[in-house]
């Protein structure tokens, strides 16, 4: 049977990009073990609206861990305590009545604050625009089976391609590096023959764009891999470096 | 007015229509394409692929999405796969069979010519996606793997693990970002379309709101492409993403675009049940689970014993009992409806009693736990993450949920709505799935429309139309912007006592109870009145917090719920008008003694197309009669 839970929340509130932020404390009396963490925030917001206060803003959409919209730091960990779980899939049964949970936005120079828990992740789009694609215009494609690809490579490409672009890797990194995000796309395309002709240009341009956006460099902390909701391996970063070196020396 | 519904289907044999169309259309000179501005609203599979393809051709594209990045559109959540009659498995598939399965699956309420074209271009989609680097599943020989899906007798579904939608969307997104880099596409994320601007009878622009700053803006174009997805969230709880909504489509409807078949909605049988009032959305699990799971409830109403305590003789395997030949594998609508019936009888299980068991115990005994884990491991893991129960040991609890909407804005063969210059793509239009959509065909339609249909039909429009010079100072822009501002002002000024979510939840309950899996004349009439009353109350008593000039999710949602409150009534009216049972639309008055749907081909072989008249209560019905020249209408039977 489900039990009613009392949950205390310390939530980062910030009215706008240049406004000072602060933690506010709230209590939700009627939480429930079956709720997701975002549903707990929904209940808090309904409560705040009824009290004439402004609700806590946070990004969310699919609520099944695939769109990458949501992302907050829960008790110091990006997406919270459950491994390989986006915060929309974190359920309250992992907490007990009386717990206090601290909620913060992704913090990184390249992710400017918008409001409360919402940040601007458009830097990721610009990194993708710098080369995260195969240059093939519609209608040019040969038959899909014209080029066989080893299953091992195809599966590895899929592992890297499963990135949801949520930004947890940046939030968790002491250097606020976007290396895992950038490397995941570079590695996905580097594993496939279709991505090969422009691989050198791709890695140069994407890495350059990542720097321009103000993300830090990677110093092998591997915090990114630990919080990635898709469990993407930092082997991607190693591969990106090899690709970069090859591109830089040729 | 009936002439507005000219579908403009090319003459000629079914298999030649698309080629004949392409041979006869007007073209736009390459040097002139950049002079045309095309506004693409929505950047999921349909909008993203359209923006990419049009950018590649050299058009000046402005693309808008409500998410913070185009990569997050709800297409991303599609799990299963995408169909194409490549016939790589050599199992007898043909374009004709894909066409036939789709038209039959839609219960003969879709246009033959559109569906045939869909089946034709599906092969190009697979080629295009592979060329983009979409990592479809492969066999050890390095070639693409196929699986079977949704009762088709051939294996024609291409897939990328359980994340096919994600990979296809990222393919389209990356193609679009390449055009952003090339300067042909300008992206406007976190931007919501609030109205359509019609000048001299043509769609020429949109009014948008910046969802971060609240800034209202005007955008002028030579054509508007709407690819804003479905309206399943009218039910409050659905498998749709929270931001999915009908507003852009509904605003176009209010400006003159006819809305077709709004009552055709798809309810998916295998979702994780609702656990309480706070529930914000529902999660789908692949229906492949029904291959090895047995659906049952206790025979006795109100039996709250743990499932392991209920002996075999006191269980009712109701699908196997009612449909001995198809058993647990009856189609989505039949499985969903029967789950509802047993719960209505008080035999539902779990805390809410709105669930049925899906039990793998027999399969585990027969095949071993390893085999089941191999087949469904990721789904079992997902179920356990959400419910906290281990389905290897305790039967899963499942319940139907709203999943997809077949209805949408009316379009002709070239995807043009009843407003010239307004084109509608993907789930937002009504065109290809009739009264019921088959599995793995939503992704196919979105990409077909965007990559392979609109580049031609838009060219035909722009090449064959004299588009007058206009500016955003035009009176029509002024009027539309004023409307949008007043509406926002009004939403914020009511300052009532009930939240937007409370209204949405109430609307959802009415829709689910009366315009859901099983509909009756009485219920639908009640729904029409109840929705109208709720709508009136909404405008008197809604409480929208915050300011118009900041990020304000409640304000965004308030505008969307206001539109759902109009759409909901139209859905009920459409369902009331359609006195037959077909596909996802089941009217209890029209069934056999065995409870099977009774379609009425004599009176209802048409597409409904509703015209907005200023008040949802008086919408006017137009009909596009469907001609079947190539397939014979037959009755579905699964007994």
């Amino acid at each position: 049977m489900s039990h009613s839970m009392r949950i205390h929340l310390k939530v980062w509130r910030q009215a706008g990009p240049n406004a000072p932020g602060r933690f506010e404390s709230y209590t939700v009396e009627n939480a429930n073990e079956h709720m997701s963490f975002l549903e707990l925030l929904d209940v808090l917001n309904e409560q705040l609206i009824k009290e004439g206060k402004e609700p806590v803003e946070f990004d969310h959409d699919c609520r099944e861990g695939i769109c990458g919209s949501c992302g907050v730091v829960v008790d110091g960990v990006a997406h919270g305590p459950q491994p390989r779980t986006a915060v929309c899939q974190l359920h309250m049964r992992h907490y007990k009545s009386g717990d206090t949970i601290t909620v913060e936005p992704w913090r990184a120079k390249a992710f400017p604050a918008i409001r409360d828990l919402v940040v601007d992740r458009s830097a990721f789009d610009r990194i993708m625009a710098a080369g995260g694609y195969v240059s093939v215009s519609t209608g040019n494609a040969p038959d899909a089976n014209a080029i066989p690809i080893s299953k091992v490579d195809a599966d590895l490409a899929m592992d890297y391609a499963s990135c949801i672009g949520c930004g947890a890797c940046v939030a968790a990194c002491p250097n606020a590096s976007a290396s895992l995000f950038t490397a995941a796309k570079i590695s996905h395309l580097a594993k496939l023959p279709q991505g090969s002709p422009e691989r050198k240009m791709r890695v140069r341009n994407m890495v350059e764009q990542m720097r321009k956006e103000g993300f830090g460099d990677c110093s092998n902390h591997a915090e990114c891999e630990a919080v990635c909701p898709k469990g993407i391996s930092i082997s991607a970063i190693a591969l990106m470096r090899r690709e970069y070196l090859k591109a830089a020396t040729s | 007015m009936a002439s507005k519904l000219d579908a403009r289907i090319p003459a000629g044999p079914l298999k030649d229509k698309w080629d004949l169309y392409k041979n006869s259309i007007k073209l736009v000179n390459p040097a002139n394409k950049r002079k045309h501005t095309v506004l693409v609203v929505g950047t999921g599979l349909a909008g993203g692929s359209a923006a990419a393809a049009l950018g590649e051709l050299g058009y000046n594209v402005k693309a808008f999405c409500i998410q913070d990045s185009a990569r997050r559109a709800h297409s991303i959540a599609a799990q299963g796969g995408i169909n194409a009659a490549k016939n790589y498995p050599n199992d007898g598939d043909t374009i004709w069979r894909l066409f036939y399965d789709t038209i039959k699956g839609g219960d003969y309420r879709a246009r033959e010519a559109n569906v045939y074209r869909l089946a034709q271009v599906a092969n190009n989609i697979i080629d295009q996606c592979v060329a983009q680097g979409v990592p479809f599943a492969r066999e050890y020989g390095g070639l693409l793997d196929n699986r079977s899906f949704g009762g088709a007798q051939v294996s024609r579904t291409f897939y990328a693990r359980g994340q096919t939608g994600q990979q296809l969307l990222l393919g389209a997104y990356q193609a679009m970002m390449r055009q952003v880099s090339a300067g042909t596409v300008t992206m406007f994320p976190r931007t919501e379309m609030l109205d359509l601007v019609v000048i001299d009878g043509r769609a020429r622009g949109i009014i948008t709101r910046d969802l971060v700053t609240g800034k209202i803006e005007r955008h002028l174009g030579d054509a508007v492409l709407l690819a804003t997805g479905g309206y399943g969230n009218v039910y409050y709880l659905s498998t749709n993403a929270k931001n999915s909504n009908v507003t852009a489509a509904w605003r176009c409807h209010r400006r003159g675009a006819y809305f077709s078949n709004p009552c055709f909605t798809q309810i998916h049988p295998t979702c994780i049940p609702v656990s309480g009032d706070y529930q914000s959305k529902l999660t789908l699990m692949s229906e492949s689970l029904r291959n090895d799971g047995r659906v049952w409830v206790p025979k006795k109403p109100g039996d709250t014993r743990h499932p392991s305590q209920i002996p075999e003789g006191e269980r009712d395997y109701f699908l196997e009992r009612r449909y001995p030949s198809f058993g647990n594998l009856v189609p989505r609508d039949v499985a969903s409806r029967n789950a509802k019936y047993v719960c209505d009888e008080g035999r539902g299980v779990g805390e809410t009693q709105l669930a049925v068991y899906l039990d793998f115990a027999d399969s585990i005994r027969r095949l071993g736990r390893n085999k089941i884990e191999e087949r469904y491991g990721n789904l079992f893991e997902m179920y356990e993450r959400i419910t906290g129960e281990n389905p290897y040991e305790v039967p899963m609890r499942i319940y139907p949920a709203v999943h997809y909407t077949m209805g949408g804005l009316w379009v002709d063969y070239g995807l043009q709505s009843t407003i010239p210059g307004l084109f509608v793509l993907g789930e937002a239009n009504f065109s290809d799935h009739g009264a019921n959509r088959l599995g793995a065909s939503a992704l196919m339609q979105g990409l077909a429309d965007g990559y392979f249909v609109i580049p031609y039909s838009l060219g035909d429009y722009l090449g064959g139309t004299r588009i007058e010079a206009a500016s955003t100072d035009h009176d029509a822009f002024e009027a539309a912007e004023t409307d949008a501002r007043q509406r926002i002002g009004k939403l914020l000024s009511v300052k009532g006592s009930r939240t937007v979510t409370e209204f949405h939840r109430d609307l959802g309950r009415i829709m689910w109870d009366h315009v859901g899996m099983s509909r009756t004349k009485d219920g639908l009439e009640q729904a029409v009145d109840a929705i109208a009353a709720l709508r009136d109350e909404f405008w008197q008593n809604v409480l929208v917090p915050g300011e118009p000039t900041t990020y304000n999710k409640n304000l965004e949602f308030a505008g969307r719920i206001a539109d759902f409150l109009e759409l909901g009534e139209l859905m009920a009216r459409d369902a009331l008008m359609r006195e037959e049972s077909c596909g996802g639309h089941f009217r209890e008055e029209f069934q056999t003694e065995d409870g099977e749907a009774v379609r009425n081909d004599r009176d209802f072989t048409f597409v409904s197309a509703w015209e907005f008249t200023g008040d949802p209560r008086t919408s006017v019905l137009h009909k596009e009669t469907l001609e079947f020249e190539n397939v014979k209408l037959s009755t579905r039977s699964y007994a």
Side-chain angles (χ1 to χ4, degrees):
Chain A
M1 294 305 283
S2 63
H3 305 284
S4 185
M5 302 163 80
R6 168 188 290 177
I7 299 290
H8 306 289
L9 287 159
K10 276 175 65 184
V11 183
W12 185 261
R13 304 301 309 258
Q14 185 170 346
N18 301 311
R22 68 198 182 284
F23 281 106
E24 289 278 342
S25 295
Y26 307 104
T27 299
V28 174
E29 298 285 352
N30 53 341
N32 172 305
E33 60 176 340
H34 295 307
M35 278 179 179
S36 70
F37 186 77
L38 298 189
E39 285 168 346
L40 177 77
L41 294 182
D42 290 342
V43 172
L44 169 66
N45 278 345
E46 289 292 289
Q47 191 176 308
L48 292 175
I49 296 169
K50 294 267 178 177
E51 290 167 7
K53 296 177 184 155
E54 294 207 344
V56 178
E57 299 291 0
F58 58 97
D59 270 329
H60 63 88
D61 203 11
C62 78
R63 297 198 174 197
E64 42 188 279
I66 191 73
C67 77
S69 297
C70 69
V72 292
V73 173
V74 179
D75 289 333
V77 181
H79 285 306
Q82 290 297 302
R84 299 188 60 160
T85 301
V87 72
C88 59
Q89 297 271 285
L90 172 65
H91 281 75
M92 294 310 295
R93 74 179 64 90
H94 302 294
Y95 294 89
K96 56 183 193 303
S97 196
D99 280 354
T100 299
I101 305 173
T102 305
V103 194
E104 297 167 82
W106 289 169
R107 295 187 195 276
K109 186 172 123 197
F111 287 166
I114 290 178
R115 189 176 169 88
D116 295 340
L117 304 172
V118 181
V119 299
D120 177 355
R121 290 170 289 191
S122 56
F124 274 9
D125 283 334
R126 291 187 291 274
I127 292 173
M128 291 293 283
Y133 43 77
V134 174
S135 296
V136 52
S137 292
T138 310
N140 276 336
D143 184 83
N145 260 347
I147 309 172
I149 301 172
S150 94
K151 182 169 162 53
V152 176
D153 283 341
D155 285 351
L156 262 175
M158 179 63 212
D159 288 344
Y160 296 130
S162 66
C163 169
I164 61 174
C166 62
C169 46
V170 175
C173 178
N175 308 338
S177 174
S179 285
L180 190 62
F181 169 80
T182 309
K185 188 47 63 186
I186 287 167
S187 301
H188 157 209
L189 296 175
K191 284 287 167 196
L192 299 174
Q194 287 85 0
S196 212
E198 51 193 332
R199 64 199 296 166
K200 289 179 182 169
M201 202 163 66
R202 175 182 307 117
V203 70
R204 274 198 295 260
N205 291 346
M206 289 181 78
V207 169
E208 179 58 24
Q209 188 65 34
M210 176 173 71
R211 293 209 176 110
K212 268 195 222 158
E213 296 291 346
F215 292 105
D217 214 334
C218 171
S219 46
N220 294 329
H221 286 268
E223 294 288 339
C224 52
E225 180 181 299
V227 298
C228 176
K230 292 294 158 191
I232 294 174
S233 158
I234 53 164
S235 66
I237 299 176
L239 183 56
M240 174 173 76
R241 285 174 165 162
R242 281 204 297 280
E243 289 285 310
Y244 190 79
L245 209 62
K246 276 192 263 179
T249 54
S250 65
Chain B
M1 294 300 277
S3 64
K4 274 201 174 180
L5 291 186
D6 177 4
R8 302 203 295 164
I9 296 165
L14 185 65
K15 66 179 179 47
D16 297 332
K17 284 181 190 292
W18 180 230
D19 285 335
L20 292 169
Y21 177 86
K22 288 192 286 187
N23 289 341
S24 67
I25 55 171
K26 305 277 195 310
L27 298 173
V28 179
N29 176 312
N32 283 339
K33 288 198 175 87
R34 67 187 148 81
K35 297 179 189 159
H36 289 292
T37 297
V38 181
L39 308 178
V40 179
V41 186
T43 53
L45 283 183
S49 59
L54 297 172
E56 289 159 7
L57 287 171
Y59 290 107
N60 178 34
V61 177
K62 290 165 109 180
F64 303 82
C65 72
I66 53 176
Q67 296 85 359
D68 72 322
S69 166
R71 64 178 295 145
R72 309 203 196 283
H74 187 54
S75 310
I76 207 160
Q79 298 168 1
I82 177 166
N83 286 331
K86 279 283 195 183
N87 194 31
Y88 287 151
N90 195 30
D91 58 358
D93 202 6
T94 62
I95 287 168
W96 171 268
R97 282 187 194 277
L98 175 54
F99 153 74
Y100 183 77
D101 288 350
T102 307
I103 209 115
K104 179 186 172 204
D107 224 354
Y108 307 98
R109 292 294 175 263
R111 252 186 231 143
E112 280 188 339
N114 283 58
V115 178
Y116 196 84
R117 176 182 63 195
L118 176 67
Q120 280 176 304
V121 302
N123 285 349
N124 303 93
I125 297 173
I126 304 303
D127 298 341
Q128 186 64 31
C129 293
V130 167
Q132 289 171 344
V134 169
F136 283 123
R138 287 177 184 269
E139 293 170 343
Y140 280 99
L143 302 180
L144 293 161
D145 189 23
N146 285 119
R147 63 182 171 195
S148 63
F149 211 85
Q153 287 169 305
V154 292
S155 290
R156 61 160 72 106
T157 304
F158 295 80
Y159 65 101
R161 294 196 187 140
Q163 291 154 256
T164 316
Q166 180 201 27
Q167 293 309 313
L168 297 178
L169 180 68
L170 293 180
Y173 159 76
Q174 290 167 199
M176 187 175 68
M177 295 316 280
R178 173 172 167 245
Q179 294 309 306
V180 168
S181 173
T184 58
V185 175
T186 310
M187 197 54 229
F188 294 79
R190 292 200 196 267
T191 303
E192 180 161 25
M193 170 177 161
L194 295 182
D195 209 347
L196 179 75
V197 178
V198 180
I199 298 177
D200 298 333
R202 297 185 184 280
R204 292 302 305 277
I206 60 173
I207 303 293
T208 60
R209 178 170 180 269
D210 180 317
L211 298 178
V212 175
T213 63
K215 192 172 174 212
I216 308 285
E217 286 181 314
R218 306 175 183 188
H219 298 273
L220 175 73
D222 297 337
V224 177
L225 272 51
L226 208 67
T228 48
Y231 50 86
N233 272 343
V234 68
Y235 291 87
Y236 182 64
L237 289 179
S238 80
T239 63
N240 286 8
K242 292 298 288 176
N243 289 292
S244 300
N245 71 83
V246 79
T247 285
W250 193 254
R251 295 284 119 193
C252 292
H253 174 55
R254 292 184 63 116
R255 293 281 174 198
Y258 291 2
F259 206 112
S260 281
N261 296 340
C263 80
F264 288 162
T265 52
Q266 181 163 79
I267 295 179
H268 199 291
T270 51
C271 299
I272 297 176
V274 177
S275 63
D277 275 345
Y278 50 79
Q279 186 105 20
S280 59
K281 76 150 296 180
L282 296 170
T283 302
L284 178 84
M285 286 182 304
S286 168
E287 64 185 329
S288 62
L289 289 169
R290 286 194 284 142
N291 284 312
D292 286 303
R294 298 181 70 194
V295 176
W296 65 275
V297 291
K299 284 186 174 166
K300 199 171 63 186
D303 189 340
T304 55
R305 284 177 292 174
H306 188 272
S308 63
Q309 304 299 311
I310 301 178
E312 201 60 29
E314 294 176 41
R315 300 176 176 190
D316 179 14
Y317 294 88
F318 56 94
L319 291 178
E320 297 171 20
R321 174 171 57 79
R322 285 193 70 177
Y323 307 96
S325 59
F326 273 73
N328 295 296
L329 289 174
V330 290
R332 288 176 178 179
D333 55 331
V334 179
S336 295
R337 214 156 45 237
N338 280 280
K340 173 186 159 43
Y341 291 153
V342 296
C343 292
D344 287 350
E345 291 162 18
R347 298 195 288 147
V349 300
E351 276 178 48
T352 61
Q353 301 198 325
L354 284 174
V356 300
Y357 289 126
L358 180 62
D359 197 335
F360 292 86
D362 281 352
S363 294
I364 290 171
R365 263 194 298 276
R366 185 165 41 92
L367 303 165
R369 183 182 155 134
N370 285 350
K371 194 77 199 165
I372 294 298
E373 192 167 348
E374 196 180 290
R375 286 185 187 167
Y376 310 110
N378 60 335
L379 293 167
F380 277 39
E381 211 176 281
M382 175 170 85
Y383 180 84
E384 186 168 2
R385 191 180 302 141
I386 293 175
T387 64
E389 286 176 1
N390 177 352
Y392 293 102
E393 282 153 19
V394 186
M396 278 187 182
R397 286 171 295 111
I398 56 164
Y399 201 62
V402 174
H403 179 53
Y404 188 89
T405 51
M406 281 74 70
L409 294 180
W410 185 90
V411 290
D412 66 11
Y413 186 72
L415 305 181
Q416 190 165 213
S417 72
T418 51
I419 302 175
L422 174 68
F423 294 79
V424 190
L425 290 70
E427 191 179 350
N429 75 28
F430 87 101
S431 76
D432 293 356
H433 307 296
N436 177 51
R437 181 180 64 75
L438 289 186
S441 59
L443 303 182
M444 175 171 69
Q445 188 218 341
L447 291 180
D449 288 359
Y451 284 135
F452 296 109
V453 179
I454 200 69
Y456 296 92
S457 62
L458 179 72
D460 186 35
Y461 173 74
L462 294 174
T465 309
R466 192 185 151 81
I467 293 170
E468 302 292 335
S471 85
T472 52
D473 296 331
H474 192 281
D475 288 349
F477 271 103
E478 188 65 37
E481 181 178 331
T482 305
D483 281 359
R485 284 186 185 282
Q486 283 176 347
R487 205 168 125 87
I488 289 170
K490 195 167 172 208
L491 287 166
L492 285 163
S493 69
V494 176
K495 295 196 189 305
S497 65
R498 297 186 67 217
T499 64
V500 174
T501 304
E502 287 173 320
F503 279 104
H504 195 182
R505 209 179 270 140
D506 285 357
L507 173 64
R509 207 161 284 145
I510 300 168
M511 297 302 294
W512 182 248
D513 287 347
H514 299 300
V515 200
M517 281 179 275
S518 188
R519 303 155 177 188
T520 64
K521 181 167 184 287
D522 281 355
L524 290 165
E525 283 170 351
Q526 278 177 45
V528 167
D529 291 341
I531 296 165
L534 189 65
R535 189 168 63 234
D536 290 343
E537 193 203 336
F538 175 88
W539 287 104
Q540 302 295 320
N541 196 26
V542 71
L543 172 56
V544 184
E547 307 294 325
T549 52
T550 63
Y551 186 105
N552 186 343
K553 262 239 163 332
N554 271 270
L555 177 60
E556 291 170 30
F557 273 69
R560 297 170 193 166
I561 307 315
D563 290 332
F564 278 138
L565 282 162
E566 296 184 2
L567 167 75
E569 183 177 331
L570 188 68
M571 290 169 70
R573 287 184 185 281
D574 191 53
L576 202 52
M577 174 279 297
R578 191 167 280 279
E579 295 182 326
E580 65 166 346
S581 295
C582 68
H585 170 67
F586 188 85
R587 280 282 300 267
E588 289 182 18
E589 302 92 326
F590 306 99
Q591 57 180 316
T592 63
E593 275 178 23
D594 302 330
E596 299 308 323
V598 175
R599 215 174 57 216
N600 178 347
D601 291 334
R602 201 193 58 186
D603 301 320
F604 289 95
T605 309
F606 65 80
V607 173
S608 69
W610 296 88
E611 178 186 3
F612 189 77
T613 56
D615 184 330
R617 282 162 241 217
T618 57
S619 295
V620 174
L621 174 67
H622 302 268
K623 296 175 185 177
E624 180 202 336
T625 302
L626 292 167
E627 310 285 351
F628 289 92
E629 294 164 351
N630 299 278
V631 300
K632 196 170 161 292
L633 276 61
S634 65
T635 304
R636 298 193 313 166
S637 169
Y638 301 98

